[in-house]
């Protein structure tokens, strides 16, 4: 038990009567109504498990099974003896002068329950121990808080472990393993006088251990939790409400909690009470019940052994190892979350996700929570068997403050692409902030200091939707670089994303424009160059997440516009949607593939898990071992359409499945190959999976759930495409749109007026400056003009190096080199002539490691196609610009000439 009925009064008292002084951290802005940051504070550690917490006047009491405490990891100080108990300053996280030793003559002493009297003067402890500071007791003790000494007048005797305590002004309630108290029969629950320990008439006998006791705010009822199946002979598994004076049953709960689940903790607030449940293959979540009538308010069926609950200012904080909240529409079975927060009015989780590991003992993680206040700041403390907090060493104890949010959001992962003339879609995977689910994103173009777009987006660890911005009004054929930052409510700003570059289309890309125009709500083109984010080119912002290493950059892809594809290994590599979704009455799934596999596998499907094999799955396209294709949906029976021909011939093929009120239809390579009138499919929330998922016992089941081959151009639509639309897509794939060719220099160098005879051709950086001049020369080998095309765009891309002074505020002229030069020989004294024509004027980045681009004169570049072309970068001012050269260790910084060829 963590606290007494007087907690809110205790918090008020501790604000006015804190022990000592500690500076309050700066104000925080968190996900409302969460009251605490996710940034753990330095806290002294135990060498064992903390089972119980309580607080009074800014001091937190911790009990458990340990023998010493030590300073936080890396902090100065020496380990101290602490036999199963330590008192800690809530604000500093350090031990106070109060020292108590809980010992036993035989066996292992442990403190399992702590509670403070409403007047904050007495601390009650329960567990399994025979002495406190050498004074004989029997598994229960009363401690004078002011003097930190056991009270010898309190003589309650429990012959077995006490696991829970609650205190009113004159009574201490206990739950545990005992069958007698003070020699009289009291099975698993009892009440004693708060001063003397004398037995009260209260009688609420249970058949199995009691683990939780809480008194309702009006003092009339006791809320009991534990392993029991009967209370006072009545059927009431794990939970019961009894009269606080007599112990008589006031509300029993037969069949309310499944037999394999127990109640580990109970907490109350002004209107309700809340249970923490642990099950063995059963109910593991939390239940909220009304104090008025004791009926259920809501039930959270997340799996993962909830150990503690704490209601505070409209939020229920819980300690568990939740690993599957799929039944309440949240994360599927997978990683563990050891702390959760949710409104006391509903099941949905709030954006607060500090974390621990499972730790020692049973591998549970955190086991108990309490809240203390000091000097105007509230602190959420947790104890347990964890050995890390937020990934860093921390054992047994941790704490979080109501102010001082310093954690930055993760850095956005961005990409950019252009499908429509004069437009570039910038998109990024939303960032994660452990205590702020709503973040502000800023998009920066071409190294400018002022963002071109600012927008907000929500994200949770299991719900990372894509955010996007379409940059319009761009010159067709012009190349641009973009970077994105994320900012939380406290003003913490992420690092800038890596620069991403795209060239504004001159003409619409035939295939992509058709897919987007027909209303795709997911469109993965697989042109990504970084892991693990797969960008969505549709307006649905349904990005993907790569798992187990699909190979990027495979080409040529399925369409004639130069796109790439992903290769899947047929073992476990997949791409899954990054957020949970549902599918309506009508839908279409579409993809291209190329394979020679004889083991089959799933190409695309919908399932209720993201990385593990789904337990529910349909709306899928899969291949059998012979290369035949199947399209299936489940309406109580597996309904499928299939092909007679095989398609594992190593060629690109287009497959589409549609379902709507008119039934199911399967298309391959633009032609209808089958259909039926089945319009039903299984309804559940899930994820789109590419490259593999469970196939189970579906017809002609392949040997492998996973597909070995290449996949490209996957799209999902909220409508059933017509046969005409499908055929048009297939034909568009061979139509060429813009072809973008990116060239790196075959030679580059800079010259220095201050060192007229020195050659800098092997340098990893290039320099430009007007006064005390630096000049840079670049040579490119230009391709011949492709047949049927014209040059419609030419852009030069550069990137500043990593030196602090790399950026410049002076414009840079790009002009044609008209004289001869050699990378290995050119010096300032032998520099080539530069023509008077200005090919373009570059506005350079003002800081390091930043990209920029300039559109060049197309006619001048077009005239040089098929041969070598040199250009010079010269400055007018005194501010030097330092750029990476082609010798730079990171190829991403090399200067690039981007040419766009469009159909005539």
């Amino acid at each position: 038990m963590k606290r007494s009925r007087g907690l809110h009064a205790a918090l008020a008292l501790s604000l006015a009567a804190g022990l000592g002084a500690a500076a309050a951290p700066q104000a925080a802005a968190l996900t409302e109504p969460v009251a605490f940051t996710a940034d753990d504070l330095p806290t002294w550690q135990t060498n064992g498990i903390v089972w119980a917490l309580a607080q009074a006047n800014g001091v937190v009491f911790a009990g458990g099974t340990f023998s010493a405490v030590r300073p936080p990891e890396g902090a100065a100080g020496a380990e101290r003896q602490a036999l199963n108990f330590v008192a800690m300053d809530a604000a500093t996280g350090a031990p106070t002068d109060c020292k108590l030793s809980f010992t036993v003559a035989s066996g292992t002493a442990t403190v399992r329950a702590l509670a403070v009297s409403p007047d904050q003067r007495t601390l009650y402890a329960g567990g399994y121990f025979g002495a406190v500071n050498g004074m004989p007791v029997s598994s229960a003790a009363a401690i004078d808080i002011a003097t930190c000494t056991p009270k010898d007048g309190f003589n309650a005797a429990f012959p077995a472990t006490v696991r829970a305590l609650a205190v009113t002004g004159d009574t201490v309630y206990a739950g545990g393993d005992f069958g007698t108290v003070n020699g009289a029969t009291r099975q698993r629950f009892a009440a004693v006088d708060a001063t003397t320990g004398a037995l009260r008439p209260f009688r609420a006998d249970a058949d199995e251990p009691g683990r939780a006791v809480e008194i309702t705010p009006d003092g009339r009822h006791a809320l009991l939790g534990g392993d029991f199946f009967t209370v006072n002979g009545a059927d009431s598994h794990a939970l019961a409400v009894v009269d606080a004076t007599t112990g008589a049953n006031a509300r029993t709960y037969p069949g309310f909690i499944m037999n394999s689940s127990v109640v580990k903790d109970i907490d109350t607030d002004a209107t309700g009470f809340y249970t923490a449940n642990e099950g063995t293959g059963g109910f593991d979540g939390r239940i909220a019940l009304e104090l008025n009538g004791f009926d259920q308010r809501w039930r959270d069926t997340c799996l993962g052994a909830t150990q503690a609950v704490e209601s505070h200012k409209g939020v229920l904080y819980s300690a568990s190892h939740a690993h599957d909240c799929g039944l309440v529409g949240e994360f599927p079975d997978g990683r563990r979350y050891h702390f959760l927060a949710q409104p006391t009015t509903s099941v949905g989780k709030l954006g607060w996700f500090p974390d621990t590991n499972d730790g020692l003992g049973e591998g549970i993680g955190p086991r108990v929570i309490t809240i203390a206040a000091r000097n105007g700041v509230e602190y959420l403390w947790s104890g347990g068997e964890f050995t890390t907090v937020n990934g860093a060493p921390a054992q047994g104890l941790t704490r979080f403050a109501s102010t001082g949010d310093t954690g930055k959001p993760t850095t956005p992962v961005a990409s950019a692409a252009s499908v429509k003339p004069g437009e570039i879609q910038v998109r990024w995977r939303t960032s994660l902030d452990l205590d702020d689910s709503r973040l502000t994103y800023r998009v920066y173009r071409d190294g400018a200091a002022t963002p071109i777009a600012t927008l907000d987006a929500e994200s949770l660890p299991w719900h990372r939707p894509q955010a996007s911005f379409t940059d319009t009004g761009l010159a067709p054929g012009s190349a641009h670089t973009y970077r994105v930052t994320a900012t939380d409510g406290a003003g913490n700003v992420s690092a800038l994303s890596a620069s991403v570059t795209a060239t504004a289309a001159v003409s619409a890309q035939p295939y992509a424009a058709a897919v987007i125009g027909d209303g795709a709500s997911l469109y993965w083109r697989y042109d990504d160059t970084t892991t693990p984010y797969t960008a969505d080119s549709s307006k649905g912002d349904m990005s993907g997440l790569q798992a187990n290493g699909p190979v990027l950059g495979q080409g040529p892809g399925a369409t004639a516009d130069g796109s790439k594809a992903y290769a899947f290994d047929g073992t476990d590599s997949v791409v899954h949607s990054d957020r949970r979704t549902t599918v309506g009455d009508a839908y279409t799934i579409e993809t291209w593939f190329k394979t020679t596999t004889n083991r089959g596998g799933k190409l695309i499907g919908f399932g209720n898990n993201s990385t593990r094999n789904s337990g529910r799955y349909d709306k899928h396209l899969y291949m059998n071992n012979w290369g035949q294709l199947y399209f299936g949906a489940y309406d109580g029976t597996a309904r499928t359409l299939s092909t007679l021909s095989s398609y594992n011939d190593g060629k690109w093929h287009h497959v589409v499945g549609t379902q709507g009120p008119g039934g199911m239809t399967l298309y391959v390579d633009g032609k209808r190959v089958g259909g039926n009138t089945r319009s039903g499919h299984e309804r559940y929330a899930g994820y789109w999976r590419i490259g593999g998922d469970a196939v189970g016992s579906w017809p002609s089941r392949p040997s492998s759930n996973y597909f070995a081959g290449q996949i490209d151009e996957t799209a999902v639509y909220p409508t059933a495409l017509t046969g005409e639309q499908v055929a048009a897509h297939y034909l568009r794939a061979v139509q060429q749109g813009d072809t973008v060719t990116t060239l790196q220099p075959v030679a580059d160098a800079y010259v220095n007026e201050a060192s007229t005879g020195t050659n800098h051709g092997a340098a990893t950086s290039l320099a430009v400056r007007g006064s005390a001049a630096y000049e840079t020369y670049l040579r490119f080998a230009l391709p011949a003009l492709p047949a049927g095309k014209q040059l419609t765009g030419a852009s030069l891309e550069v990137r500043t190096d990593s030196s602090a002074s790399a950026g410049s505020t002076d414009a840079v002229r790009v002009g044609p080199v008209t004289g001869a030069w050699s990378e290995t020989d050119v010096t300032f004294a032998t520099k080539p002539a530069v023509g008077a024509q200005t090919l373009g004027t570059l506005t350079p980045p003002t800081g390091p490691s930043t990209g920029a681009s300039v559109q060049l004169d197309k006619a001048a570049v077009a005239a040089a196609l098929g041969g070598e072309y040199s250009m010079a970068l010269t400055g007018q001012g005194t501010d030097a610009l330092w750029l990476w050269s082609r010798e730079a260790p990171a190829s991403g910084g090399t200067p690039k000439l981007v040419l766009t060829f469009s159909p005539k």
Side-chain angles (χ1 to χ4, degrees):
M1 190 64 202
K2 314 164 299 299
R3 69 184 194 186
S4 71
R5 287 176 52 215
L7 173 65
H8 295 293
L11 290 177
L13 281 171
S14 63
L15 292 174
L19 303 178
Q26 67 182 33
L30 308 170
T31 298
E32 293 183 354
V34 172
F36 302 95
T37 80
D39 305 319
D40 57 297
L41 299 175
T43 307
W44 276 59
Q45 308 295 290
T46 71
N47 65 349
I49 299 173
V50 173
W51 295 97
L53 292 174
Q55 68 80 36
N57 297 326
V59 175
V60 172
F61 308 106
T65 311
F66 52 87
S67 61
V69 293
R70 63 184 184 276
E73 187 77 12
E79 184 175 273
R80 303 181 188 181
Q81 184 183 63
L83 297 181
N84 305 307
F85 176 87
V86 64
M88 311 278 277
D89 185 302
T92 68
T96 70
D97 293 334
C98 176
K99 296 180 180 180
L100 298 170
S101 297
F102 289 77
T103 57
V104 69
S106 63
T108 302
T110 183
V111 175
R112 292 300 181 103
L114 294 169
V116 172
S117 61
D119 63 9
Q120 306 289 288
R121 294 180 179 179
T122 305
L123 170 68
Y124 295 90
Y128 177 71
F129 47 84
V132 181
N133 287 0
M135 189 184 84
V137 294
S138 182
S139 292
I143 311 298
D144 181 75
I145 292 176
T147 62
C148 188
T149 57
K151 294 184 174 182
D152 57 9
F154 182 81
N155 295 303
F158 293 85
T161 302
V162 174
R163 300 184 180 274
L165 292 172
V167 189
T168 65
D170 59 3
T171 303
V172 177
Y173 296 83
D177 301 349
F178 50 85
T180 63
V181 178
N182 295 350
T185 299
R186 292 292 190 273
Q187 294 180 351
R188 282 82 186 195
F189 293 100
V192 299
D193 184 274
T195 302
T196 67
L199 193 62
R200 296 288 197 191
F202 178 91
R203 188 79 179 261
D205 289 343
D207 61 333
E208 295 289 344
R211 297 184 181 272
V213 179
E214 184 69 82
I215 306 303
T216 57
D218 61 9
R220 295 177 57 194
H221 294 95
L223 311 170
L224 310 181
D227 301 10
F228 51 82
F229 291 89
T230 63
V231 176
N232 293 326
D235 183 5
S236 191
H237 175 54
L239 181 66
V241 182
V242 300
D243 184 275
T245 301
T246 67
N249 292 348
R251 176 69 183 267
T252 56
Y253 293 91
F256 183 69
I257 295 172
M258 60 193 312
N259 287 349
S260 58
S261 177
V262 303
V263 170
K264 299 295 291 288
D265 189 26
I266 298 175
D267 194 34
T268 66
D269 58 24
T271 63
F273 66 101
Y274 311 89
T275 69
N277 291 73
E278 176 183 272
T280 303
F283 175 55
D284 271 349
R286 293 153 293 282
I287 303 174
L289 301 100
E290 304 290 350
L291 285 174
N292 183 12
F294 308 121
D295 291 327
Q296 178 175 295
R297 179 186 299 168
W298 52 256
R299 182 178 295 224
D300 184 335
T301 55
C302 289
L303 298 177
T306 306
Q307 302 297 306
V309 287
E310 185 81 8
S311 173
H312 182 66
K313 295 182 177 177
V315 174
L316 185 69
Y317 300 90
S318 58
S320 69
H321 56 256
H323 58 86
D324 185 354
C325 286
L327 293 176
V328 294
E330 295 172 328
F331 53 88
D333 194 16
R335 62 154 288 189
R336 292 183 168 193
Y337 296 86
H338 292 88
F339 292 112
L340 297 174
Q342 59 199 116
T344 55
T345 55
S346 62
V347 169
K349 309 304 180 295
L350 299 168
W352 185 74
F353 298 100
D355 206 7
T356 73
N357 65 352
D358 290 345
L360 308 168
E362 297 177 47
I364 294 292
R367 285 189 173 273
V368 65
I369 299 172
T370 197
I371 295 171
R374 182 78 182 274
N375 300 322
V377 179
E378 293 179 336
Y379 298 89
L380 184 147
W381 280 69
S382 183
E385 55 198 61
F386 50 83
T387 58
T388 67
V389 178
N390 289 339
Q395 183 174 346
L397 287 167
T398 191
R399 62 198 175 101
F400 308 92
S402 60
T403 60
D405 179 14
T406 60
K408 295 181 179 180
T410 59
T411 303
V413 179
S415 70
S418 179
V419 172
K420 296 178 64 177
E423 294 186 0
I424 293 177
Q425 182 199 41
V426 186
R427 56 276 176 103
W428 59 95
R429 188 185 189 208
T430 48
S431 298
L432 180 62
D433 188 276
L434 295 181
D435 45 32
D436 197 341
S437 59
R438 188 168 185 82
L439 302 175
T440 298
Y441 298 89
R442 292 177 173 84
V443 182
Y444 299 86
R445 180 177 62 202
D446 296 336
T450 301
I452 60 170
T454 300
L455 58 104
D456 292 343
E458 298 274 353
S459 58
L460 294 168
W462 61 88
H463 179 86
R464 302 278 296 275
Q466 175 178 287
S468 62
F469 167 73
T470 300
D471 194 8
T472 60
L474 303 172
S478 62
H480 299 278
T481 61
Y482 299 89
R483 303 184 83 177
V484 183
T485 63
T487 305
D488 69 12
N492 299 306
V493 184
S494 75
L496 281 161
S497 70
S499 293
V500 294
T501 302
T503 300
V506 176
S507 57
Q509 294 189 24
Y511 185 83
V515 172
I516 295 170
D518 284 338
S521 56
L522 177 157
Y523 183 24
W524 296 346
R525 306 208 66 197
Y526 305 116
D527 292 331
D528 313 277
T529 58
T530 59
T531 58
Y533 164 67
T534 296
D536 181 13
S537 293
S538 80
K539 295 180 180 179
D541 282 333
M542 183 66 74
S543 55
L545 198 63
Q546 303 152 27
N548 302 317
V551 181
L552 282 55
Q554 303 300 292
T559 60
D561 55 16
S563 70
K564 302 296 185 181
Y566 285 4
F568 295 81
D569 62 11
T571 301
D572 60 2
S573 60
V574 296
V575 181
H576 63 83
S577 51
D578 212 3
R579 60 184 169 96
R580 199 178 180 101
T581 189
T582 56
V583 180
D585 292 337
Y587 65 91
T588 296
I589 50 179
E590 172 183 40
T591 198
W592 289 78
F593 68 92
K594 181 171 72 171
T595 186
T596 58
T597 185
N598 59 5
R599 300 179 65 242
K602 186 173 292 191
L603 294 163
I604 176 175
F606 193 72
N608 68 343
N609 206 305
S610 53
T611 56
R612 303 183 182 184
N613 279 338
S614 297
R616 303 173 73 181
Y617 45 91
D618 73 333
K619 298 173 279 294
H620 53 192
L621 291 163
Y622 63 92
M623 177 178 281
N624 68 10
N625 293 351
W626 299 275
Q628 295 165 311
L629 297 170
Y630 281 75
F631 170 45
Y634 185 77
D635 62 0
T637 299
R639 309 294 184 182
T640 60
L641 301 171
S642 62
T643 66
L644 294 175
S645 301
S646 297
Y647 296 90
N648 55 348
D649 55 4
K651 300 178 182 179
W652 281 111
H653 294 285
H654 179 233
V655 58
V656 178
T658 72
Q659 187 176 31
M664 300 169 63
T665 308
L666 174 63
Y667 302 88
V668 179
D669 292 339
K671 298 180 180 179
R672 184 181 186 274
V673 296
N676 62 32
T677 59
R678 301 293 181 179
S679 61
H681 61 85
E682 191 170 9
R683 302 304 180 98
Y684 53 93
Y687 305 84
W688 289 108
R689 299 265 303 248
I690 311 301
D693 198 2
V695 180
S697 57
W698 281 71
S700 197
R701 185 195 187 286
S703 298
S704 174
N705 290 336
Y706 292 85
F707 176 77
Q710 294 184 22
I711 295 179
D712 197 10
E713 304 292 333
T714 300
V716 176
Y717 305 78
T719 59
L721 294 184
T722 65
E724 291 78 10
Q725 288 173 307
V726 172
H729 289 195
Y730 180 69
L731 294 175
R732 288 285 189 96
V734 298
Q735 296 177 14
Q736 289 195 347
D738 293 345
T739 300
V740 178
T741 301
T742 300
L743 307 172
Q744 294 190 4
V746 295
D748 61 9
Y750 79 93
V751 298
N752 181 357
E753 186 177 20
S755 181
T756 59
T758 303
N759 171 259
H760 299 283
T764 58
S765 295
L766 303 168
V768 183
R769 184 170 63 195
S771 177
Y774 298 130
E775 293 184 5
T776 282
Y777 310 111
L778 306 172
R779 179 181 292 123
F780 295 92
L782 304 184
L785 181 68
K789 298 272 187 146
Q790 58 184 333
L791 182 69
T792 53
S795 296
L796 176 66
E797 297 178 9
V798 295
R799 185 176 180 83
T800 50
D801 67 23
S802 57
S803 58
S805 58
S808 174
T809 58
D810 296 335
V812 173
R813 175 179 174 266
V814 183
V817 174
T818 57
W821 65 281
S822 165
E823 180 181 72
T824 56
D825 297 324
V826 67
T827 68
F828 193 86
T830 63
K831 66 177 184 173
V834 178
Q837 180 186 8
T838 297
L839 300 175
T841 301
L842 172 72
T843 300
T846 57
S849 302
T850 303
S853 66
V854 55
Q855 190 171 6
L856 304 180
D857 185 290
K858 294 189 294 290
V861 177
L865 290 173
E868 290 191 338
Y869 189 67
S870 293
M871 59 189 75
L873 278 61
T874 58
Q876 301 296 320
T878 59
D879 195 4
L881 174 68
W882 289 92
L883 306 170
W884 290 121
S885 74
R886 76 187 187 104
E887 288 81 11
S891 62
T894 302
K896 297 178 180 65
L897 180 62
V898 181
L899 305 179
T900 302
F901 299 99
S902 302
K904 290 183 178 179

